[in-house]
Amino acid sequence: MESATRVFKSVCRSCHGGCGALLHVRDGRLLKIEGDRDSPLSHGRLCPIGTVTVDLVNHPQRLKFPQRRAGPRGSGKWERISWDAALDEISARLLAIRERFGPEAIALGTGTGRHHIRWVSRFGHALGTPNWCEPGFAQCFHPRVNTCLLTFGDFPVCDYTGGTPPRCMLFWGHNPIHSGPDGETRFNVREALEHNPKIIVVDPRRTELAARADIWLQVRPGADDALGLAMLNVIVGERLYDAAFVQAHTHGFDSLAAHVARFSPEWAEPITWVPAEKIRAAARLFAATKPSMLEWGCAIEHTPKCIQTVRALSMLPVLTGNVDVPGGWVFGARAAGRFPSLIENLTPEASARRLGADRFKMLGGEGADLPAAHIPTLLQAMREGKPYPVKAFLVFGNNTLATYANAKLVHESLMQLDFMVCADLFMTPTAELADIVLPAAAWPELDQIVGLPTVAANVVLAQQKVVQVGECKPDEEIFVALARRMKLPVGTEDVKDVLNAQLRAGGLGYDFDALAARGFAEAPLTYRRYESKGFKTPTGKIELYSTRLEKMGYPPLPGYEEPPESPFSAPAVAQEFPLVLTTGGRIPFYFNSEHRQIAKLRRAYREPRAEIHPATAARHGIAEGAWMWIETRRGRIRQKAKLTDGIDPRVVNAEHGWWFPDEPGPEYGIWKSNANVLTDNGPPYDPQMGTYQLRGLLCRVAPAT
Ligand code: SF4
């Protein structure tokens, strides 16, 4: 007899996520999803990706059982095996590699900040290896987190839930109403926009936000640092700053003022391609309108001067007194509790062997909130065995070939491994290179908590396991099962015990089951905590002049540097590749490289599109909607031309994350339109973070016949 349909509260994680969801489930099968109107973040809304969760979960191409490679690596030949056989084999191979080469010869990888990201590092730490990585750690979000921890002692987020709407919103390299990893922000932003704030947009493209902005600064990709410094110059030079706040709560203002005096808007104009008067107008508007907030995105983190760019931009809300105030930037309650990463299981010697830690202290050393390995150095260790060999790579939820820079070099590196495991929802070109593929659970198939906004965690939401598909297992349970099989000293507790410990540390007063029944819990927001507690920095103030950066041997004040591959820094290359490439902008129907299996989404957005100015397209004989080649020194790809005068004639915007699950494996068209064929992961790197240049690279275009 069929049982009744039940409705469970949950939280969508089809992106980093946070939209409240109601799951209609019968006999362990997902029948329907709808937005949860009670959600304090999304108020019942879901984006196109969340709306098709039933299609994702019940997709016929889901991986449903473990498989072992049955031919040469990458040959596309697989045999079904049991979970016991898979876990036994993984345990035995990892123990053998650890015994022979040391634990650091085992690396772990993941992609995006989903439910299991912290569990990947936790398992690595339990195993004794410091080498785990995620493509965003040097390039996306974490540079902002680590920089702000040094500058503020905490990570500020925009105040959308406190009831005071911002009167000015500055969107910098960020288009959250269409995209953004924490997707629920799109709804928060749309609600804030209903109050008609002044809008400033910094973006090379005329996005929907740029089109409705009061001021649109069409910056040259990769020149954000110069633009930020010029805005600081105006705010300081014209005395637009909040003198009382700056005097009482910041450290190093006089040094900063002297430092930015040289970065006038006229100095910045030829570098940024933004007229000086527009820079002035934007700085004046941001400073004069309170409360103001800065919504920033990963576009500012895609060059080797990433940390200093973030530093410069972070000072705009500081100087204008928009920190920890209603409707401005606020600090979170951190109500999710600190995740037990088990990093204490690593000895200092083991931590010191983290790849890249000796050079990039804010990525892998003392300046990192959660230290991670440097990906180019890790790939080199796979290929060349230097500085020591990395023999095994365990990838949990990441299509590495689509999401790491310089995809051809990544492929070459992965092919050198002795042992590779991939856990994912679907077979991917990356999983095809593995020795063992594990079927991972999708978000309605697992118990987890998430604190949002990310890091701040003012709202804590629960997702609960209410669906079972095939033999799929949550990544978290795979880690626990492996830790037990390998008899690791830590990391063997039940998943729910870990979640409960984390919730206890957060202090909200709910255990996991109680939170799951409610769906979410909110922590009260408090403002101006600095008045009684100061800031958690060495000086107790916001460090405009960073004593910690100085102590680590890095510049204490932000400067300007030209990206290594640009029309100005590499004029000889620009002769052959005269256009500036930007990439990484999101598509509302896909999250990074995911979701292209889902027919409804593919119908809405079938093929990759590259934006190009009509004059540039005409010069190269490229017609609207035609396939065109985009080529850099690394390789070339094809995307369909989208002609728009909303992009500078000197710039091309290529979409990222493209592969074609509907094309034959094992490659699934990974080399056709993948923007990471074009990008580079070589030096020079950001001295603090190890960041490489993903934006503002030089390219050329041609019709693809
Ligand atoms: S924005 Fe993210 S969390 Fe919200 S519905 Fe879309 S995919 Fe899900």
Side-chain angles (χ1 to χ4, degrees):
M1 194 177 74
E2 255 190 8
S3 54
T5 300
R6 292 184 62 194
V7 180
F8 297 92
K9 276 186 178 283
S10 191
V11 52
C12 177
R13 305 300 304 280
S14 281
C15 65
H16 289 179
C19 296
L22 299 176
L23 300 177
H24 296 243
V25 176
R26 191 191 304 143
D27 294 329
R29 184 174 169 82
L30 183 64
L31 302 178
K32 180 179 160 188
I33 180 172
E34 57 185 325
D36 182 359
R37 287 174 192 278
D38 295 339
S39 164
L41 297 172
S42 53
H43 306 297
R45 299 179 178 102
L46 296 171
C47 83
I49 303 172
T51 308
V52 298
T53 299
V54 175
D55 302 64
L56 172 84
V57 168
N58 299 327
H59 198 287
Q61 289 166 1
R62 281 282 302 274
L63 291 169
K64 295 198 183 73
F65 43 80
Q67 297 175 76
R68 178 196 286 129
R69 177 159 65 84
R73 187 179 300 285
S75 62
K77 295 195 170 64
W78 297 95
E79 62 182 0
R80 179 174 181 168
I81 56 174
S82 69
W83 269 106
D84 275 340
L87 294 171
D88 282 346
E89 186 167 335
I90 295 168
S91 304
R93 295 288 300 269
L94 294 184
L95 287 171
I97 288 170
R98 190 171 74 164
E99 175 70 24
R100 178 152 177 227
F101 297 99
E104 64 273 15
I106 302 167
L108 291 108
T110 183
T112 81
R114 306 292 252 287
H115 58 93
H116 62 289
I117 179 169
R118 299 264 158 173
W119 287 75
V120 174
S121 59
R122 176 183 159 94
F123 180 69
H125 299 153
L127 196 57
T129 175
N131 289 325
W132 83 282
C133 64
E134 191 266 339
F137 260 61
Q139 312 279 151
C140 174
F141 187 61
H142 296 276
R144 271 170 283 164
V145 172
N146 291 345
T147 302
C148 287
L149 290 178
L150 295 188
T151 305
F152 300 86
D154 202 345
F155 182 65
V157 296
C158 292
D159 178 21
Y160 292 120
T161 53
T164 304
R167 291 190 54 234
C168 180
M169 301 180 80
L170 168 55
F171 296 94
W172 200 308
H174 192 27
N175 184 25
I177 59 172
H178 280 308
S179 66
D182 298 340
E184 78 289 348
T185 306
R186 79 190 58 207
F187 304 125
N188 304 147
V189 168
R190 283 194 185 279
E191 284 166 10
L193 291 175
E194 284 169 14
H195 295 273
N196 289 319
K198 297 289 183 192
I199 302 171
I200 305 166
V201 171
V202 180
D203 203 305
R205 302 161 57 213
R206 190 177 59 222
T207 59
E208 185 187 331
L209 272 173
R212 67 178 280 186
D214 295 274
I215 300 175
W216 170 34
L217 306 179
Q218 191 177 13
V219 68
R220 175 172 65 94
D224 304 84
D225 53 348
L227 186 57
L229 289 165
M231 287 180 70
L232 291 174
N233 169 286
V234 175
I235 290 169
V236 172
E238 297 187 8
R239 297 184 178 278
L240 304 175
Y241 52 89
D242 182 331
F245 180 81
V246 166
Q247 167 73 26
H249 301 295
T250 68
H251 169 77
F253 175 75
D254 291 344
S255 302
L256 177 74
H259 178 72
V260 298
R262 76 197 78 158
F263 302 121
S264 69
E266 284 70 23
W267 164 83
E269 180 173 323
I271 297 169
T272 60
W273 298 349
V274 179
E277 267 322 299
K278 270 197 160 184
I279 300 174
R280 267 200 188 85
R284 289 171 184 157
L285 181 63
F286 187 75
T289 322
K290 290 192 178 182
S292 284
M293 59 169 58
L294 168 63
E295 263 288 0
W296 49 2
C298 64
I300 61 173
E301 296 166 316
H302 285 177
T303 67
K305 67 273 183 72
C306 143
I307 291 296
Q308 298 301 345
T309 304
V310 172
R311 282 266 298 153
L313 270 51
S314 74
M315 293 176 188
L316 294 168
V318 177
L319 294 189
T320 53
N322 283 297
V323 173
D324 218 7
V325 295
W329 263 7
V330 290
F331 299 108
R334 298 203 179 222
R338 189 149 179 99
F339 178 73
S341 72
L342 302 180
I343 196 162
E344 66 280 2
N345 195 54
L346 292 182
T347 62
E349 294 73 33
S351 286
R353 288 180 71 70
R354 182 176 297 108
L355 289 163
D358 52 338
R359 287 175 291 161
F360 312 118
K361 293 177 192 161
M362 287 184 66
L363 172 68
E366 59 184 290
D369 183 40
L370 178 62
H374 184 235
I375 288 175
T377 311
L378 175 70
L379 295 172
Q380 183 189 24
M382 291 176 186
R383 281 193 316 279
E384 301 171 12
K386 293 178 186 159
Y388 54 75
V390 164
K391 294 290 184 184
F393 193 36
L394 315 182
V395 186
F396 285 79
N398 175 242
N399 188 351
T400 312
L401 293 180
T403 58
Y404 282 27
N406 201 340
K408 294 273 182 184
L409 191 70
V410 174
H411 182 266
E412 194 187 319
S413 310
L414 298 182
M415 289 299 284
Q416 300 304 315
L417 290 164
D418 283 0
F419 187 57
M420 180 170 163
V421 176
C422 272
D424 218 319
L425 301 182
F426 295 95
M427 188 58 95
T428 68
T430 302
E432 288 278 10
L433 302 182
D435 294 87
I436 290 183
V437 170
L438 301 174
W443 64 264
E445 302 158 32
L446 56 98
D447 293 330
Q448 255 300 354
I449 60 170
V450 56
L452 292 169
T454 305
V455 181
N458 296 323
V459 183
V460 183
L461 306 99
Q463 55 192 108
Q464 43 181 329
K465 177 176 170 50
V466 291
V467 172
Q468 179 66 46
V469 171
E471 297 178 13
C472 298
K473 265 192 206 300
D475 305 80
E476 295 86 339
E477 287 182 15
I478 298 171
F479 291 129
V480 172
L482 282 173
R484 288 175 179 166
R485 258 186 173 72
M486 296 172 75
K487 301 199 178 348
L488 300 183
V490 290
T492 54
E493 307 96 304
D494 283 343
V495 174
K496 236 186 217 183
D497 290 342
V498 178
L499 299 180
N500 280 328
Q502 202 184 339
L503 284 170
R504 269 197 303 281
L508 273 175
Y510 298 100
D511 68 5
F512 177 78
D513 290 335
L515 186 69
R518 288 174 51 90
F520 64 89
E522 288 178 90
L525 259 183
T526 53
Y527 299 103
R528 296 189 178 88
R529 270 180 284 175
Y530 57 81
E531 286 180 347
S532 56
K533 298 189 171 163
F535 292 90
K536 286 178 259 166
T537 61
T539 56
K541 297 185 174 189
I542 298 174
E543 296 206 343
L544 301 172
Y545 185 100
S546 173
T547 59
R548 285 199 60 202
L549 280 173
E550 186 174 46
K551 208 165 156 206
M552 284 190 273
Y554 300 128
L557 290 167
Y560 155 72
E561 249 179 72
E562 190 57 28
E565 187 176 299
S566 87
F568 302 120
S569 62
V573 180
Q575 293 278 323
E576 264 192 275
F577 300 92
L579 298 170
V580 176
L581 175 69
T582 187
T583 179
R586 304 268 155 73
I587 307 163
F589 302 98
Y590 307 116
F591 187 52
N592 295 335
S593 66
E594 298 174 45
H595 303 125
R596 285 166 179 79
Q597 298 86 354
I598 299 173
K600 285 176 189 155
L601 298 180
R602 280 303 285 285
R603 275 200 295 276
Y605 205 98
R606 176 116 209 107
E607 281 149 339
R609 299 171 198 172
E611 289 176 325
I612 183 168
H613 193 278
T616 314
R619 218 172 50 244
H620 291 89
I622 295 167
E624 166 71 27
W627 288 99
M628 69 181 202
W629 291 115
I630 309 166
E631 185 174 7
T632 67
R633 288 191 289 172
R634 272 69 57 188
R636 71 174 187 171
I637 61 166
R638 296 187 320 162
Q639 299 204 351
K640 278 196 162 174
K642 181 181 172 193
L643 274 51
T644 170
D645 62 4
I647 196 162
D648 190 286
R650 295 163 286 186
V651 176
V652 172
N653 172 51
E655 288 176 352
H656 85 133
W658 276 96
W659 60 293
F660 301 89
D662 42 319
E663 292 197 4
E667 289 193 345
Y668 304 101
I670 186 65
W671 306 118
K672 273 173 73 173
S673 300
N674 174 4
N676 275 319
V677 170
L678 306 176
T679 56
D680 198 5
N681 64 0
Y685 301 117
D686 181 285
Q688 295 107 152
M689 202 75 195
T691 315
Y692 34 91
Q693 186 181 357
L694 287 175
R695 271 175 211 260
L697 295 158
L698 295 171
C699 73
R700 63 186 173 204
V701 296
T705 47

mmCIF file of all heavy atoms in Angstrom, residues 123-147:
data_model
loop_
_atom_site.group_PDB
_atom_site.id
_atom_site.type_symbol
_atom_site.label_atom_id
_atom_site.label_comp_id
_atom_site.label_asym_id
_atom_site.label_seq_id
_atom_site.Cartn_x
_atom_site.Cartn_y
_atom_site.Cartn_z
ATOM 1 N N PHE A 123 38.332 15.355 6.808
ATOM 2 C CA PHE A 123 38.830 14.006 6.554
ATOM 3 C C PHE A 123 40.334 14.045 6.268
ATOM 4 O O PHE A 123 41.093 13.191 6.733
ATOM 5 C CB PHE A 123 38.076 13.368 5.381
ATOM 6 C CG PHE A 123 38.555 11.978 5.066
ATOM 7 C CD1 PHE A 123 38.310 10.929 5.938
ATOM 8 C CD2 PHE A 123 39.274 11.716 3.909
ATOM 9 C CE1 PHE A 123 38.769 9.642 5.668
ATOM 10 C CE2 PHE A 123 39.734 10.440 3.624
ATOM 11 C CZ PHE A 123 39.480 9.399 4.507
ATOM 12 N N GLY A 124 40.761 15.058 5.510
ATOM 13 C CA GLY A 124 42.195 15.197 5.249
ATOM 14 C C GLY A 124 42.977 15.339 6.540
ATOM 15 O O GLY A 124 44.004 14.674 6.739
ATOM 16 N N HIS A 125 42.481 16.180 7.433
ATOM 17 C CA HIS A 125 43.183 16.385 8.702
ATOM 18 C C HIS A 125 43.190 15.099 9.529
ATOM 19 O O HIS A 125 44.188 14.774 10.184
ATOM 20 C CB HIS A 125 42.525 17.522 9.489
ATOM 21 C CG HIS A 125 42.564 18.830 8.762
ATOM 22 N ND1 HIS A 125 41.629 19.820 8.952
ATOM 23 C CD2 HIS A 125 43.421 19.301 7.819
ATOM 24 C CE1 HIS A 125 41.923 20.852 8.165
ATOM 25 N NE2 HIS A 125 42.997 20.555 7.472
ATOM 26 N N ALA A 126 42.089 14.360 9.498
ATOM 27 C CA ALA A 126 42.041 13.090 10.237
ATOM 28 C C ALA A 126 43.064 12.106 9.674
ATOM 29 O O ALA A 126 43.698 11.340 10.407
ATOM 30 C CB ALA A 126 40.631 12.498 10.156
ATOM 31 N N LEU A 127 43.234 12.182 8.367
ATOM 32 C CA LEU A 127 44.167 11.285 7.679
ATOM 33 C C LEU A 127 45.618 11.708 7.879
ATOM 34 O O LEU A 127 46.544 10.930 7.676
ATOM 35 C CB LEU A 127 43.810 11.347 6.187
ATOM 36 C CG LEU A 127 44.282 10.336 5.188
ATOM 37 C CD1 LEU A 127 43.863 8.939 5.603
ATOM 38 C CD2 LEU A 127 43.669 10.661 3.825
ATOM 39 N N GLY A 128 45.808 12.973 8.247
ATOM 40 C CA GLY A 128 47.156 13.486 8.486
ATOM 41 C C GLY A 128 47.733 14.273 7.326
ATOM 42 O O GLY A 128 48.894 14.666 7.350
ATOM 43 N N THR A 129 46.908 14.507 6.281
ATOM 44 C CA THR A 129 47.438 15.301 5.163
ATOM 45 C C THR A 129 46.970 16.755 5.261
ATOM 46 O O THR A 129 45.798 17.012 5.539
ATOM 47 C CB THR A 129 47.027 14.721 3.795
ATOM 48 O OG1 THR A 129 47.496 15.614 2.773
ATOM 49 C CG2 THR A 129 45.524 14.567 3.648
ATOM 50 N N PRO A 130 47.878 17.697 5.007
ATOM 51 C CA PRO A 130 47.476 19.110 4.994
ATOM 52 C C PRO A 130 46.974 19.542 3.622
ATOM 53 O O PRO A 130 46.576 20.682 3.444
ATOM 54 C CB PRO A 130 48.788 19.823 5.320
ATOM 55 C CG PRO A 130 49.840 18.957 4.691
ATOM 56 C CD PRO A 130 49.330 17.537 4.798
ATOM 57 N N ASN A 131 47.019 18.625 2.649
ATOM 58 C CA ASN A 131 46.763 19.016 1.262
ATOM 59 C C ASN A 131 45.323 18.768 0.845
ATOM 60 O O ASN A 131 44.972 17.714 0.319
ATOM 61 C CB ASN A 131 47.716 18.268 0.325
ATOM 62 C CG ASN A 131 49.123 18.787 0.469
ATOM 63 O OD1 ASN A 131 49.325 19.982 0.686
ATOM 64 N ND2 ASN A 131 50.098 17.894 0.386
ATOM 65 N N TRP A 132 44.498 19.756 1.118
ATOM 66 C CA TRP A 132 43.163 19.751 0.534
ATOM 67 C C TRP A 132 43.006 21.074 -0.200
ATOM 68 O O TRP A 132 43.715 22.051 0.093
ATOM 69 C CB TRP A 132 42.083 19.567 1.608
ATOM 70 C CG TRP A 132 41.721 20.840 2.288
ATOM 71 C CD1 TRP A 132 42.426 21.472 3.262
ATOM 72 C CD2 TRP A 132 40.581 21.657 2.016
ATOM 73 N NE1 TRP A 132 41.795 22.627 3.620
ATOM 74 C CE2 TRP A 132 40.659 22.765 2.867
ATOM 75 C CE3 TRP A 132 39.501 21.549 1.139
ATOM 76 C CZ2 TRP A 132 39.699 23.773 2.865
ATOM 77 C CZ3 TRP A 132 38.545 22.547 1.138
ATOM 78 C CH2 TRP A 132 38.650 23.642 1.997
ATOM 79 N N CYS A 133 42.121 21.101 -1.165
ATOM 80 C CA CYS A 133 42.011 22.330 -1.952
ATOM 81 C C CYS A 133 40.602 22.498 -2.494
ATOM 82 O O CYS A 133 39.821 21.546 -2.558
ATOM 83 C CB CYS A 133 43.008 22.306 -3.110
ATOM 84 S SG CYS A 133 42.694 21.004 -4.301
ATOM 85 N N GLU A 134 40.333 23.719 -2.858
ATOM 86 C CA GLU A 134 39.053 24.073 -3.465
ATOM 87 C C GLU A 134 39.374 25.263 -4.351
ATOM 88 O O GLU A 134 40.114 26.149 -3.929
ATOM 89 C CB GLU A 134 38.058 24.432 -2.357
ATOM 90 C CG GLU A 134 36.614 24.566 -2.792
ATOM 91 C CD GLU A 134 36.242 25.993 -3.129
ATOM 92 O OE1 GLU A 134 36.930 26.924 -2.670
ATOM 93 O OE2 GLU A 134 35.278 26.181 -3.870
ATOM 94 N N PRO A 135 38.871 25.297 -5.595
ATOM 95 C CA PRO A 135 39.359 26.335 -6.507
ATOM 96 C C PRO A 135 39.119 27.755 -6.012
ATOM 97 O O PRO A 135 39.818 28.675 -6.406
ATOM 98 C CB PRO A 135 38.614 26.058 -7.820
ATOM 99 C CG PRO A 135 37.620 24.995 -7.542
ATOM 100 C CD PRO A 135 37.977 24.341 -6.251
ATOM 101 N N GLY A 136 38.143 27.937 -5.124
ATOM 102 C CA GLY A 136 37.867 29.286 -4.649
ATOM 103 C C GLY A 136 38.803 29.771 -3.563
ATOM 104 O O GLY A 136 38.799 30.958 -3.240
ATOM 105 N N PHE A 137 39.611 28.887 -3.000
ATOM 106 C CA PHE A 137 40.342 29.334 -1.822
ATOM 107 C C PHE A 137 41.342 30.443 -2.122
ATOM 108 O O PHE A 137 41.554 31.312 -1.283
ATOM 109 C CB PHE A 137 40.987 28.148 -1.097
ATOM 110 C CG PHE A 137 40.151 27.742 0.083
ATOM 111 C CD1 PHE A 137 38.854 27.309 -0.114
ATOM 112 C CD2 PHE A 137 40.612 27.852 1.381
ATOM 113 C CE1 PHE A 137 38.035 26.990 0.966
ATOM 114 C CE2 PHE A 137 39.804 27.533 2.470
ATOM 115 C CZ PHE A 137 38.519 27.102 2.262
ATOM 116 N N ALA A 138 41.950 30.410 -3.299
ATOM 117 C CA ALA A 138 42.862 31.510 -3.640
ATOM 118 C C ALA A 138 42.207 32.511 -4.569
ATOM 119 O O ALA A 138 42.780 33.549 -4.863
ATOM 120 C CB ALA A 138 44.129 30.952 -4.283
ATOM 121 N N GLN A 139 41.009 32.207 -5.067
ATOM 122 C CA GLN A 139 40.456 32.982 -6.174
ATOM 123 C C GLN A 139 39.046 33.494 -5.927
ATOM 124 O O GLN A 139 38.529 34.220 -6.771
ATOM 125 C CB GLN A 139 40.392 32.092 -7.443
ATOM 126 C CG GLN A 139 41.634 31.325 -7.771
ATOM 127 C CD GLN A 139 42.689 32.128 -8.478
ATOM 128 O OE1 GLN A 139 43.872 31.861 -8.360
ATOM 129 N NE2 GLN A 139 42.272 33.132 -9.202
ATOM 130 N N CYS A 140 38.388 33.064 -4.893
ATOM 131 C CA CYS A 140 36.968 33.402 -4.791
ATOM 132 C C CYS A 140 36.522 33.347 -3.333
ATOM 133 O O CYS A 140 36.572 32.277 -2.717
ATOM 134 C CB CYS A 140 36.144 32.417 -5.628
ATOM 135 S SG CYS A 140 34.370 32.624 -5.437
ATOM 136 N N PHE A 141 36.103 34.451 -2.804
ATOM 137 C CA PHE A 141 35.497 34.577 -1.491
ATOM 138 C C PHE A 141 36.501 34.473 -0.339
ATOM 139 O O PHE A 141 36.552 35.348 0.520
ATOM 140 C CB PHE A 141 34.367 33.559 -1.306
ATOM 141 C CG PHE A 141 33.596 33.761 -0.032
ATOM 142 C CD1 PHE A 141 32.916 34.941 0.203
ATOM 143 C CD2 PHE A 141 33.555 32.788 0.950
ATOM 144 C CE1 PHE A 141 32.212 35.151 1.385
ATOM 145 C CE2 PHE A 141 32.855 32.982 2.138
ATOM 146 C CZ PHE A 141 32.180 34.165 2.345
ATOM 147 N N HIS A 142 37.296 33.417 -0.315
ATOM 148 C CA HIS A 142 38.211 33.252 0.825
ATOM 149 C C HIS A 142 39.261 34.352 0.903
ATOM 150 O O HIS A 142 39.641 34.742 2.015
ATOM 151 C CB HIS A 142 38.806 31.847 0.822
ATOM 152 C CG HIS A 142 37.729 30.833 1.014
ATOM 153 N ND1 HIS A 142 37.269 30.474 2.258
ATOM 154 C CD2 HIS A 142 36.953 30.196 0.124
ATOM 155 C CE1 HIS A 142 36.264 29.628 2.113
ATOM 156 N NE2 HIS A 142 36.056 29.439 0.840
ATOM 157 N N PRO A 143 39.737 34.899 -0.225
ATOM 158 C CA PRO A 143 40.598 36.079 -0.086
ATOM 159 C C PRO A 143 39.887 37.210 0.652
ATOM 160 O O PRO A 143 40.490 37.899 1.475
ATOM 161 C CB PRO A 143 40.902 36.459 -1.539
ATOM 162 C CG PRO A 143 40.820 35.166 -2.284
ATOM 163 C CD PRO A 143 39.706 34.408 -1.617
ATOM 164 N N ARG A 144 38.586 37.392 0.388
ATOM 165 C CA ARG A 144 37.839 38.433 1.115
ATOM 166 C C ARG A 144 37.751 38.082 2.602
ATOM 167 O O ARG A 144 37.930 38.934 3.473
ATOM 168 C CB ARG A 144 36.429 38.575 0.527
ATOM 169 C CG ARG A 144 36.337 39.557 -0.612
ATOM 170 C CD ARG A 144 34.995 39.474 -1.311
ATOM 171 N NE ARG A 144 34.923 38.319 -2.198
ATOM 172 C CZ ARG A 144 33.804 37.820 -2.709
ATOM 173 N NH1 ARG A 144 32.648 38.369 -2.420
ATOM 174 N NH2 ARG A 144 33.828 36.770 -3.514
ATOM 175 N N VAL A 145 37.465 36.800 2.864
ATOM 176 C CA VAL A 145 37.331 36.395 4.271
ATOM 177 C C VAL A 145 38.648 36.613 5.010
ATOM 178 O O VAL A 145 38.695 37.269 6.059
ATOM 179 C CB VAL A 145 36.904 34.908 4.372
ATOM 180 C CG1 VAL A 145 36.954 34.437 5.821
ATOM 181 C CG2 VAL A 145 35.510 34.717 3.796
ATOM 182 N N ASN A 146 39.729 36.088 4.453
ATOM 183 C CA ASN A 146 41.008 36.163 5.165
ATOM 184 C C ASN A 146 41.494 37.605 5.294
ATOM 185 O O ASN A 146 42.057 37.999 6.319
ATOM 186 C CB ASN A 146 42.055 35.292 4.459
ATOM 187 C CG ASN A 146 41.739 33.807 4.607
ATOM 188 O OD1 ASN A 146 40.923 33.420 5.446
ATOM 189 N ND2 ASN A 146 42.352 32.982 3.794
ATOM 190 N N THR A 147 41.256 38.398 4.251
ATOM 191 C CA THR A 147 41.666 39.808 4.302
ATOM 192 C C THR A 147 40.876 40.555 5.371
ATOM 193 O O THR A 147 41.432 41.354 6.133
ATOM 194 C CB THR A 147 41.437 40.466 2.927
ATOM 195 O OG1 THR A 147 42.176 39.737 1.968
ATOM 196 C CG2 THR A 147 41.893 41.912 2.922
#
